[in-house]
Amino acid sequence: MRELLIADAGPLIALARIDRLWLLPRLFAQTITTEIVWSECFANPSDVEQARLNLALAAGWVERVAVPALPHDWRLGLGETSAISLALAHQAAVLIDERAARRTATRLGLPLIGTVGLLTLAKQRELIPAIREDLYHLAASGYRLSPDLLSNALAFVGEAP
């Protein structure tokens, strides 16, 4: 089990949408998000997503922390900047999907994982039986997943597209 994961809004919302937030404590000892990211999660969630996010917080699957200052100007959104800043401060892995933010995290040497990577890891560890339905549900709901990413992830875990 990996120790610490810093989460951005996009993946938290995606995991809430497919009811997979419960995977976080099974894959990571601790998942933290910033107050800024948490606020972003509640900008436009459905009632179901909001309930699932609140459950994850109440159950301790996700913890919120304040980030006192954002000393970096990486030309990212406040949420991505706060998540990467916190990950950098702890030398922790960051759960992030946004392309520019992933490039920044990689350039800074941070381990990163995206929503699709987290689902494939869960499948490999036999925490979920399949990822196809989750990925297609996310794509159908407007979550941006490239066709190549979908087919590569499915091939990686041995599921036909």
Side-chain angles (χ1 to χ4, degrees), residues 118-131 157 159:
L118 188 137
L119 291 171
T120 59
L121 181 62
K123 164 86 187 262
Q124 289 176 313
R125 297 218 179 136
E126 299 180 351
L127 296 172
I128 56 176
I131 65 170
V157 297
E159 294 181 39

Side-chain angles (χ1 to χ4, degrees), residues 16-17 21 38 41-42 44-56:
R17 187 167 295 161
L21 286 164
W38 195 251
C41 288
F42 285 85
N44 292 309
S46 70
D47 290 343
V48 171
E49 291 167 356
Q50 185 174 345
R52 289 174 179 163
L53 287 161
N54 282 324
L55 171 66

Side-chain angles (χ1 to χ4, degrees), residues 22-121:
W22 59 269
L23 290 171
L24 293 171
R26 288 166 178 82
L27 295 171
F28 300 91
Q30 184 179 22
T31 300
I32 298 175
T33 195
T34 69
E35 291 288 351
I36 295 167
V37 167
W38 195 251
S39 294
E40 288 181 358
C41 288
F42 285 85
N44 292 309
S46 70
D47 290 343
V48 171
E49 291 167 356
Q50 185 174 345
R52 289 174 179 163
L53 287 161
N54 282 324
L55 171 66
L57 185 67
W61 301 341
V62 177
E63 299 171 40
R64 298 182 314 198
V65 298
V67 176
L70 298 176
H72 308 287
D73 181 16
W74 294 309
R75 297 178 186 228
L76 303 172
L78 288 177
E80 289 93 359
T81 299
S82 71
I84 292 172
S85 293
L86 188 61
L88 197 55
H90 292 283
Q91 287 301 297
V94 63
L95 174 62
I96 204 158
D97 284 340
E98 200 271 329
R99 187 175 298 165
R102 290 175 67 86
R103 280 194 298 264
T104 299
T106 299
R107 189 176 72 245
L108 294 167
L110 291 171
L112 63 92
I113 189 167
T115 302
V116 174
L118 188 137
L119 291 171
T120 59
L121 181 62

